[in-house]
Amino acid sequence: MTNVINAGPNLSEFPKPSMISVNGIELEVFEAGQQNIGKPLVLCHGFPEHAFSWRHQIPALVKAGYHVIVPNQRGYGNSSSPSEVDQYDIKHLTGDLVALLDHYGYKDATFIGHDWGANVVWSLALLHPNRVNKIINLALPYQVRGEKPWIEWMEEIFGQDNYFVHFNRQPGVADAILHKNTSQFLSNLFRKNVPLAPPEPGMLMINLAKAEKALGEPIMNESELAVFVSAFKKSGFTGSINWYRNLDRNWHLLADVNPIIPHNTLMIYGEQDMIPKFEGLTDFVPNAEVMSLDCGHCIQQEKPEETTQAILKWLKQP
């Protein structure tokens, strides 16, 4: 894994991993800027991604004086992948990040999340508000806890072919298909300016895995894509898909939690992303600033320089 990351053009600066024991598991953590102790930034990847998705931002954040901590979260890369589905609920996922702060001796940190990583960061601010000082989230806005559990609601609205629903109602099916077609799936998925949606109604992830014709310009060169492919060929997809299989459990776990997040927050959307903007964001995150970039879902990889500059500019604010 390490050899793949450091092979190929322009990849040599990516930090080497350490295995860190936290919260009853081991996380594969990529750390940079150790000299900047006292200014921690924790970067949280999405699905189906890897810590490597932050490769463009890490050097600039270190240069700006931050101690950058980038875990492969549980179920990803060489991090632990427990067999029990409930080990991927939001209390475990946020507990991993709290334990990671404890490992480094930090009371709190600024957290930056993309996609599912953003969901974890929102939940971290709800469940452990004192461990978060600022939030930057990409692509996935705050998810309001409605009257019905999330998967139950999605099934009623979108049907059984919605991939969130399919992951839950047919366990193991998507896992096997994605694993069998790892290279093709990831190559088809990570494309510029293409909304994260299937060409026809149906199961998004399975359609992408089986699609013979890829759409849009690749986000990554072959060496970069190889990092993701190598990681998922080794880990499989069950651990990462198990995050989806806990959405209804998470709904119950958050029942008695204050839904307001008071932290200073930057929300970055991709204008061409299929995930809609949440117009009521400031009702739940009153100190949120919102901006958009002209790209699809994989914001920090599609618009790396613009994303990095937006992050740095916002972090300089008092």
Side-chain angles (χ1 to χ4, degrees):
M1 179 66 173
T2 305
N3 291 335
V4 174
I5 288 177
N6 290 291
N10 304 318
L11 305 185
S12 60
E13 292 186 0
F14 198 75
K16 295 181 179 180
S18 298
M19 298 303 297
I20 297 177
S21 296
V22 294
N23 201 25
I25 62 165
E26 283 198 326
L27 291 182
E28 181 182 29
V29 180
F30 301 83
E31 180 187 5
Q34 291 90 331
Q35 69 274 17
N36 301 325
I37 293 297
K39 294 185 68 177
L41 278 177
V42 182
L43 311 184
C44 301
H45 64 78
F47 171 89
E49 293 187 325
H50 188 281
F52 189 63
S53 64
W54 298 105
R55 63 196 175 280
H56 300 293
Q57 286 70 47
I58 293 173
L61 293 173
V62 170
K63 186 176 181 180
Y66 293 97
H67 180 196
V68 183
I69 301 165
V70 195
N72 267 334
Q73 298 177 83
R74 65 168 67 199
Y76 287 86
N78 290 316
S79 294
S80 298
S81 293
S83 58
E84 302 89 346
V85 173
D86 63 3
Q87 292 295 298
Y88 298 85
D89 69 29
I90 202 62
K91 284 196 173 181
H92 286 89
L93 298 178
T94 58
D96 293 347
L97 298 181
V98 168
L100 195 59
L101 291 185
D102 291 342
H103 170 82
Y104 286 105
Y106 286 125
K107 177 184 176 182
D108 56 30
T110 295
F111 286 84
I112 306 179
H114 171 250
D115 183 75
W116 247 110
N119 185 287
V120 175
V121 172
W122 293 126
S123 299
L124 180 67
L126 292 174
L127 293 169
H128 304 279
N130 294 332
R131 307 309 297 266
V132 180
N133 55 49
K134 291 182 180 180
I135 296 168
I136 301 175
N137 274 335
L138 284 63
L140 189 73
Y142 180 91
Q143 303 295 293
V144 176
R145 184 184 179 278
E147 295 181 358
K148 295 182 179 181
W150 284 302
I151 296 301
E152 180 182 333
W153 175 82
M154 288 181 184
E155 188 168 17
E156 288 183 6
I157 301 299
F158 302 114
Q160 294 185 352
D161 279 353
N162 174 269
Y163 72 97
F164 279 71
V165 178
H166 185 272
F167 285 167
N168 279 268
R169 302 300 187 236
Q170 299 189 48
V173 175
D175 317 36
I177 292 172
L178 300 187
H179 188 58
K180 182 180 179 181
N181 300 282
T182 298
S183 297
Q184 185 167 322
F185 168 53
L186 296 174
S187 178
N188 288 344
L189 178 66
F190 291 113
R191 300 272 164 173
K192 289 184 180 179
N193 300 325
V194 176
L196 187 62
E200 68 279 331
M203 295 168 288
L204 166 60
M205 298 301 172
I206 291 177
N207 285 347
L208 286 170
K210 293 183 174 181
E212 295 182 1
K213 183 179 180 181
L215 300 173
E217 180 185 349
I219 290 172
M220 294 178 260
N221 62 37
E222 290 184 4
S223 297
E224 292 170 327
L225 182 62
V227 176
F228 288 75
V229 172
S230 174
F232 280 101
K233 281 188 174 181
K234 182 175 181 179
S235 69
F237 289 87
T238 297
S240 55
I241 292 176
N242 280 343
W243 291 34
Y244 291 87
R245 294 176 178 137
N246 279 279
L247 278 169
D248 282 358
R249 183 177 288 109
N250 296 345
W251 184 88
H252 289 287
L253 289 172
L254 294 171
D256 298 321
V257 176
N258 182 351
I260 304 302
I261 296 177
H263 307 72
N264 288 339
T265 298
L266 175 63
M267 178 68 221
I268 304 177
Y269 292 104
E271 280 294 333
Q272 300 177 45
D273 194 352
M274 71 167 286
I275 297 176
K277 297 177 183 178
F278 178 30
E279 300 300 334
L281 179 65
T282 54
D283 292 339
F284 293 89
V285 191
N287 294 308
E289 179 180 336
V290 177
M291 67 170 294
S292 298
L293 296 176
D294 185 19
C295 61
H297 183 71
C298 300
I299 298 170
Q300 77 272 35
Q301 298 187 84
E302 291 186 50
K303 294 287 186 178
E305 181 63 24
E306 294 90 335
T307 302
T308 302
Q309 291 307 312
I311 290 171
L312 290 173
K313 181 180 179 180
W314 187 80
L315 287 173
K316 287 180 180 178
Q317 297 178 5

